[in-house]
Amino acid sequence: MDADAHLPVPPRPSVVVVAHGDMDLDTSAPIAESLLAAAHAHSVVVLDTSGVTFADSGFLNLLLQAHALTELRIAAPQHQLQRLLEMTGADTVLHLHPTV
């Protein structure tokens, strides 16, 4: 093998993405881009939601999209997000964890 040849580096098996602030239609585009890119590149994505202060159905849809692409782990959901997940039944589909 040529000394200058480079073997492709496989993607890391997991990555942490951090979300913070309000997650609604007007504000969630940056996290959507990051989360979906991570979901395409990694077999496990941990989404740190400890800083999410509000989440709407659009954010819930994003979580379900990412879940369909990879093993998505929702870490440290605060009360409002936890309630949204419980009310919609998404807590039975998504993997929720109390900490990162």
Side-chain angles (χ1 to χ4, degrees), residues 21-79:
D22 289 354
M23 294 291 122
D24 59 29
L25 185 61
D26 294 329
T27 61
S28 63
I31 195 67
E33 184 177 326
S34 297
L35 183 59
L36 294 176
H40 284 288
H42 300 279
S43 58
V44 176
V45 176
V46 177
L47 179 62
D48 178 357
T49 61
S50 61
V52 173
T53 54
F54 174 79
D56 70 0
S57 61
F59 186 64
L60 176 60
N61 186 41
L62 171 62
L63 298 180
L64 294 171
Q65 286 178 33
H67 173 73
L69 297 170
T70 190
E71 182 181 329
L72 178 64
R73 299 177 184 172
I74 310 297
Q78 299 302 303
H79 179 73

